[in-house]
Amino acid sequence: MTQYVYRFGGGVSDGGKGDKNLLGGKGANLDGMASIGLPVPPGFTITTEMCTRYYEDGQVFPDSLKAEVANGIAHIEGVTGKKFGVAADPLLVSVRSGARASMPGMMDTVLNLGLNDETVVGLAAISGDDRFAWDSYRRFIQMYSDVVLELDHGAFEEALEIAKEDKGFTLDTELSAADWQALVKQYKAIVQDQWGKPFPQDVHEQLWGAVGAVFGSWQSERAKVYRRLNDIPADWGTAVNVQAMVFGNMGDTSATGVAFTRDPSKGDRAYYGEFLINAQGEDVVAGIRTPQYLTKVAREAAGAKPLSMEEAMPEVYGQLAKVFDLLETHYRDMQDIEFTVERGHLWMLQTRSGKRTAKAALKIAVDMASEGLITEEEAVARVDPSALDQLLHPTLDPNAPRDVIAKGLPASPGAASGIAVFDSDTAEHRAELGEAVILVRTETSPEDIHGMHAAKGILTARGGMTSHAAVVARGMGRPCVSGVGSLAIDAKAKSFRVAGREVREGDIITIDGSTGEVMVGEVATVEPELAGDFGVLMEWADKVRRLKVRANAETPLDCKVARSFGAEGVGLCRTEHMFFDAARITAVRQMILAEDEKGRRAALDKLLPEQRGDFAQIFEIMAGLPVTIRLLDPPLHEFLPHAEEEFSEVAEAAGVGIEALKRRAAELHEFNPMLGHRGCRLGVTYPEIYEMQARAIFEAAVEVAEKSGAAPIPEVMVPLVATRRELELMKDVIDRTAKAVFAEKGRTLDYLVGTMIELPRAALKAAEIAEVGEFFSFGTNDLTQTTLGVSRDDAGRFLTTYVDKGIYARDPFVSLDIEGVGELIELAAERGRKTRPGIKLGICGEHGGDPASIAFCEQTGLDYVSASPYRVPIARLAAAQAALKKG
Ligand code: ADP
Ligand code: MG
Ligand code: MG
């Protein structure tokens, strides 16, 4: 027969191993605390398995449970010497829910269960405190009616308010025993009125009512929603804890409180908490009275008058401090604790690992390892990599006032203030003048790159978390708030309206990309701190990490940030944004619109020195490290002129007529550019473009090697390859160019030629492609698009529904679709390695900074992941954790 009831306290422990899955978090830790000798009121836990069975059986309890619960009550009676439902010395209990993971939405705790018209008299006699007894009874009726009977609690509160008003009291504590007794009468009348039955006087009926309500709450709407949002399976169930009451409301030597063993917001090693004298249960958090500080230091720092617990109850405080230390040693983590003092006697009511900010998580992990409480590896495993995001960007000063006017999606973390501007040229111009600007657009496109670069932050009215603005902003480490639907932008008038307010160009606004808030005016920010604990944890992470971490970086600034964050190379340097530069775009357009090779070469000659300069800067910063440069990839139409004056500029530069240019532009139009004339297809049709880029790369590499002595390691990457032959043709162009440059300069350099794997065909044919390619970089953004047949730019309309319905577990553009796209990667890695053992394998794309995707890369044995510069530390930590997990 399955055992459903586990006892704890009074030297008895049925739980033994502290199994959270069986006993729930609260139950397991109550048993755990009792087992290490801490003062825990005795009780028992009805297991989560019972909850599951309760639902399987159609919401009835098996007969065997009655006897087990009776046995549990007998245990409590035995330890306390009190008797449940017996007036002479009545046992009162609390009934508490407790899932595996702490879960809002579950039934609230019922305290003082076991009181009725008779036992209340007994309680008064035995405690010698009438007032306490009647106060306890009225609390019980109120809680039970609210939580178990689900009656409207307004009527109870109203009755209490009126009672206080009649007497001219403001505080509950002013009410006398007689006052509470009168209220009990009123409360019972309210129950009769609302429920149609008298308040249950049978203590066993009370108990089973409460137990049933806890199990019932597992399927409440609130609980279901919470489980869905947090991936908690419905068959986990909740446990129920029944525990002897202890009373913090028995006068001035009694108290109740909550505490953390360390500061949960800053992480400092200092006891942290609040308590209230003569109070019960949730009075501390309920805010009815202002709680007092736990420690003298905290009280003085806050300039508060009412004595701290350390000062008011020095002896009990001393015991409590010892308990804090014991609990930390036992659970080896910062604890969040509930305690009660009954007439000078300390009781522990709960402990669990405390929630903390990212900053505190970091500090606590590093401190605990330094104290020898946990190992360095455990410290590495404890910090959530994604939480580091909060620390890597400037954040709003939490104490600064803010005037929020709208809210959108928190698309790219960090906060920024600046003047609102409504187009990218103005953004660039005003940034050059030294102004901080926020670029405000309905949505952004590749043509806005320079404006986004110049801006301190980006705000868009449309677009989701994977919109152009969001993806590019994250890549650049710019804060971004996207999809602010309420924003009515008038780009012509250079203003927007929202919530009855108008913001014009030049007005200062602030955006918080971590919360999605948009504010008027400047809000002070605080800079991230990357030294100290952060640096120490990263060092520890690097010791266990196997995967290398590179950055997706394409400007000198990106490269500098990436290096400072510990990037071990560039995994993806896109070259197209270099073409958008105002000084070059005309030559680029001239190249695209040229009718023949001669025309293209003339334009490319103008671009060569510029490109060489770009690469030289990057190579210098990344000296000695590998730099993967992707040759031109996007469809050419992205560079085409639109406005009349743009056409005439190009016509003049190229010495051709405007009409001919326009005809050529129309010829270049594509129906589906994503699958059109792009990637290596450009290089196959116009080899001179890739030739120019290869020349720029090798000339720059030689130049830097000569100047600084540290030779960069160029890895030339050909995009969108589907067949071996494509790569062969392109490799030939690159190798020939390298040879020519080395001959001219009289110096050779190591380099690699490889390809992105971003088409399913390339993954399938990896064995043959590896005959030519010296490395593969999985371009998982496009590989996801091409494998799923889903366009990233259009997915916003349906992808959320897909995730909601469980078709994809997570947004596959944020976290790799391991089942599908992942299988292609595994297959390509395996086939590639067969042809070329030790072929260098990496991943670039948004997934390179996503911890779950990084874990997959570790499993697959890739050599490196490449993430946007600001995500490099996240990737380092995630890679370390993946290595630890793999063991
Ligand atoms: P939650 O999970 O919402 O914190 P708890 O079950 O921990 O709910 O209980 C709510 C409050 O009641 C806490 O302040 C707790 O300390 C108090 N409490 C619970 N059981 C007892 C008890 N047996 N004696 C005294 N106070 C109790
Ligand atoms: Mg609690
Ligand atoms: Mg691509």
Side-chain angles (χ1 to χ4, degrees):
M1 211 182 66
T2 321
Q3 180 183 350
Y4 291 118
V5 169
Y6 286 69
R7 300 165 302 167
F8 59 81
V12 175
S13 168
D14 294 333
K17 287 175 246 69
D19 183 355
K20 281 197 178 137
N21 294 350
L22 186 67
L23 303 176
K26 203 178 280 166
N29 286 359
L30 282 170
D31 183 60
M33 285 197 292
S35 299
I36 57 171
L38 297 185
V40 175
F44 61 88
T45 303
I46 309 177
T47 64
T48 58
E49 281 177 0
M50 183 64 249
C51 183
T52 310
R53 172 152 178 205
Y54 174 77
Y55 280 103
E56 278 168 7
D57 290 357
Q59 308 194 29
V60 290
F61 295 114
D63 289 339
S64 65
L65 189 66
K66 289 247 155 27
E68 282 196 80
V69 166
N71 189 31
I73 291 285
H75 160 63
I76 307 178
E77 289 175 339
V79 177
T80 58
K82 300 173 191 288
K83 287 256 179 275
F84 194 47
V86 173
D89 188 2
L91 167 68
L92 307 191
V93 296
S94 64
V95 177
R96 321 169 68 183
S97 62
R100 290 194 202 182
S102 142
M103 218 181 98
M106 298 300 302
M107 190 201 83
D108 292 325
T109 297
V110 177
L111 302 177
N112 308 336
L113 189 140
L115 279 174
N116 57 26
D117 294 350
E118 286 168 19
T119 53
V120 68
V121 179
L123 182 67
I126 206 115
S127 65
D129 188 343
D130 279 6
R131 188 187 172 282
F132 153 74
W134 287 99
D135 177 23
S136 298
Y137 192 20
R138 71 89 200 176
R139 282 177 191 253
F140 172 53
I141 298 173
Q142 194 172 353
M143 272 191 181
Y144 195 89
S145 302
D146 177 19
V147 171
V148 180
L149 306 180
E150 297 184 323
L151 306 181
D152 174 25
H153 53 88
F156 297 94
E157 279 154 25
E158 206 175 305
L160 174 56
E161 278 315 307
I162 291 171
K164 281 200 282 190
E165 243 168 62
D166 285 351
K167 301 264 171 181
F169 296 157
T170 49
L171 295 174
D172 289 8
T173 40
E174 292 171 285
L175 293 172
S176 68
D179 296 330
W180 289 125
Q181 194 171 353
L183 261 174
V184 163
K185 210 175 207 171
Q186 288 188 41
Y187 279 10
K188 287 199 297 185
I190 295 172
V191 173
Q192 175 74 50
D193 183 46
Q194 285 195 25
W195 196 41
K197 285 188 272 182
F199 186 80
Q201 291 292 312
D202 177 349
V203 295
H204 296 282
E205 184 190 337
Q206 292 173 358
L207 178 62
W208 285 99
V211 170
V214 173
F215 285 155
S217 70
W218 180 252
Q219 293 294 5
S220 68
E221 277 316 305
R222 269 205 313 162
K224 282 193 207 162
V225 168
Y226 184 84
R227 281 202 292 276
R228 200 173 337 120
L229 293 177
N230 291 279
D231 292 328
I232 297 176
D235 63 4
W236 273 12
T238 180
V240 183
N241 302 290
V242 178
Q243 186 178 27
M245 281 302 301
V246 290
F247 301 97
N249 53 337
M250 276 191 163
D252 286 347
T253 53
S254 301
T256 186
V258 295
F260 290 85
T261 53
R262 305 190 185 213
D263 181 339
S265 81
K266 295 203 183 78
D268 292 339
R269 194 176 185 190
Y271 306 135
Y272 183 97
E274 297 173 330
F275 84 115
L276 267 179
I277 290 178
N278 197 11
Q280 186 176 39
E282 316 233 289
D283 292 356
V284 176
V285 271
I288 303 168
R289 284 158 59 194
T290 310
Q292 294 156 239
Y293 289 92
L294 206 63
T295 63
K296 184 163 178 254
V297 179
R299 177 185 72 79
E300 285 171 352
K305 288 238 166 59
L307 288 187
S308 67
M309 184 171 176
E310 189 175 5
E311 296 155 299
M313 305 182 154
E315 204 172 310
V316 192
Y317 174 81
Q319 289 169 22
L320 188 60
K322 278 203 194 100
V323 168
F324 288 163
D325 295 347
L326 257 173
L327 285 175
E328 274 209 353
T329 322
H330 184 69
Y331 289 105
R332 306 168 71 239
D333 197 3
M334 185 264 268
Q335 296 294 297
D336 167 357
I337 288 161
E338 291 172 8
F339 64 91
T340 282
V341 180
E342 180 181 311
R343 291 185 168 158
H345 189 96
L346 176 67
W347 293 99
M348 302 306 300
L349 291 171
Q350 189 172 336
T351 190
R352 60 181 165 199
S353 284
K355 292 219 174 354
R356 60 204 83 178
T357 62
K359 188 180 164 124
L362 202 58
K363 177 154 178 52
I364 290 172
V366 170
D367 283 355
M368 286 192 166
S370 310
E371 291 157 23
L373 197 56
I374 58 175
T375 64
E376 289 179 6
E377 292 186 354
E378 281 174 305
V380 167
R382 284 231 178 130
V383 179
D384 173 12
S386 312
L388 290 183
D389 225 13
Q390 288 177 31
L391 305 174
L392 296 170
H393 301 271
T395 47
L396 290 183
D397 183 343
N399 301 319
R402 49 187 86 177
D403 177 8
V404 178
I405 51 168
K407 203 160 175 198
L409 298 170
S412 176
S417 296
I419 55 166
V421 299
F422 294 84
D423 67 275
S424 287
D425 291 339
T426 309
E428 194 173 50
H429 179 65
R430 298 202 57 165
E432 272 166 15
L433 297 176
E435 285 177 294
V437 306
I438 305 288
L439 179 62
V440 185
R441 304 282 289 158
T442 302
E443 53 200 340
T444 62
S445 76
E447 282 177 77
D448 288 314
I449 300 281
H450 64 294
M452 295 172 80
H453 246 288
K456 291 268 185 258
I458 295 126
L459 171 62
T460 71
R462 281 198 217 137
M465 296 290 287
T466 58
S467 64
H468 179 267
V471 171
V472 174
R474 282 200 292 274
M476 289 178 180
R478 298 285 184 285
C480 173
V481 173
S482 71
V484 189
S486 57
L487 218 61
I489 298 179
D490 187 341
K492 274 220 182 97
K494 302 195 169 202
S495 70
F496 70 75
R497 287 177 172 282
V498 68
R501 310 271 288 265
E502 184 175 56
V503 171
R504 303 170 158 279
E505 182 172 293
D507 293 350
I508 291 180
I509 58 171
T510 298
I511 60 166
D512 186 342
S514 311
T515 62
E517 283 177 341
V518 182
M519 291 141 275
V520 164
E522 182 164 352
V523 181
T525 55
V526 282
E527 280 298 314
E529 227 181 276
L530 300 186
D533 299 323
F534 185 92
V536 173
L537 193 84
M538 281 297 138
E539 221 172 84
W540 294 345
D542 288 348
K543 277 195 223 164
V544 291
R545 172 164 65 87
R546 183 197 62 84
L547 275 169
K548 295 260 180 215
V549 175
R550 299 194 191 180
N552 299 344
E554 45 210 34
T555 64
L557 184 68
D558 288 346
C559 291
K560 275 188 202 140
V561 172
R563 260 211 111 139
S564 74
F565 281 160
E568 296 162 298
V570 170
L572 176 64
C573 173
R574 303 176 177 93
T575 48
E576 46 270 21
H577 96 275
M578 301 169 176
F579 283 37
F580 275 111
D581 191 293
R584 312 173 189 176
I585 187 72
T586 304
V588 172
R589 287 172 172 159
Q590 183 187 342
M591 168 193 81
I592 294 165
L593 295 170
E595 302 270 358
D596 52 20
E597 187 183 330
K598 190 166 147 267
R600 269 190 299 279
R601 283 202 183 271
L604 286 165
D605 285 345
K606 293 186 205 162
L607 289 172
L608 174 65
E610 305 277 355
Q611 274 266 262
R612 187 172 54 223
D614 297 331
F615 295 138
Q617 282 184 8
I618 289 172
F619 288 152
E620 241 167 82
I621 297 164
M622 302 307 293
L625 298 175
V627 178
T628 306
I629 294 166
R630 179 177 73 185
L631 301 181
L632 196 64
D633 181 51
L636 294 182
H637 80 97
E638 282 187 11
F639 303 99
L640 285 182
H642 304 286
E644 197 66 21
E645 68 263 24
E646 288 172 345
F647 272 107
S648 61
E649 252 174 55
V650 178
E652 198 178 314
V656 292
I658 288 194
E659 289 317 308
L661 270 189
K662 286 192 173 159
R663 186 170 23 81
R664 178 81 181 126
E667 273 170 28
L668 285 171
H669 171 79
E670 290 184 304
F671 288 102
N672 191 345
M674 214 267 290
L675 300 176
H677 194 183
R678 54 166 290 216
C680 69
R681 296 156 201 174
L682 296 171
V684 169
T685 45
Y686 309 136
E688 54 280 2
I689 299 180
Y690 279 13
E691 187 189 310
M692 180 280 285
Q693 291 197 292
R695 178 165 276 279
I697 292 168
F698 294 121
E699 287 183 356
V702 171
E703 186 184 301
V704 170
E706 258 160 22
K707 207 160 81 184
S708 68
I713 308 158
E715 299 182 352
V716 185
M717 180 154 79
V718 182
L720 215 72
V721 161
T723 75
R724 177 189 191 279
R725 181 71 182 141
E726 283 172 314
L727 184 59
E728 197 172 44
L729 287 170
M730 295 302 96
K731 184 165 189 294
D732 190 51
V733 172
I734 297 160
D735 285 341
R736 263 192 291 119
T737 309
K739 214 168 155 190
V741 172
F742 295 158
E744 288 160 26
K745 307 276 176 193
R747 180 175 184 137
T748 61
L749 277 177
D750 289 336
Y751 69 95
L752 297 177
V753 180
T755 180
M756 274 184 121
I757 302 284
E758 49 190 339
L759 296 174
R761 192 186 195 282
L764 292 170
K765 304 311 285 177
E768 286 159 42
I769 292 173
E771 286 168 12
V772 184
E774 294 161 315
F775 67 87
F776 290 166
S777 173
F778 294 97
T780 48
N781 289 349
D782 271 346
L783 189 58
T784 300
Q785 296 203 90
T786 55
T787 301
L788 272 49
V790 169
S791 143
R792 176 161 52 149
D793 301 321
D794 301 312
R797 292 193 195 141
F798 55 86
L799 209 52
T800 340
T801 313
Y802 263 57
V803 173
D804 282 347
K805 297 201 170 180
I807 298 171
Y808 292 117
R810 291 180 58 193
D811 180 339
F813 292 105
V814 174
S815 194
L816 194 72
D817 160 36
I818 288 171
E819 262 176 51
V821 178
E823 187 169 338
L824 275 175
I825 293 176
E826 277 170 354
L827 181 142
E830 189 192 305
R831 293 187 180 174
R833 284 190 190 117
K834 229 178 219 152
T835 306
R836 191 184 288 268
I839 184 173
K840 198 182 247 191
L841 301 173
I843 176 179
C844 60
E846 286 284 289
H847 304 99
D850 168 62
S853 311
I854 292 171
F856 166 80
C857 295
E858 172 66 32
Q859 284 295 331
T860 315
L862 300 192
D863 296 295
Y864 69 85
V865 298
S866 188
S868 57
Y870 283 90
R871 292 192 77 85
V872 164
I874 297 172
R876 283 163 70 194
L877 184 57
Q881 292 182 352
L884 284 174
K885 248 194 216 124
K886 208 175 165 205

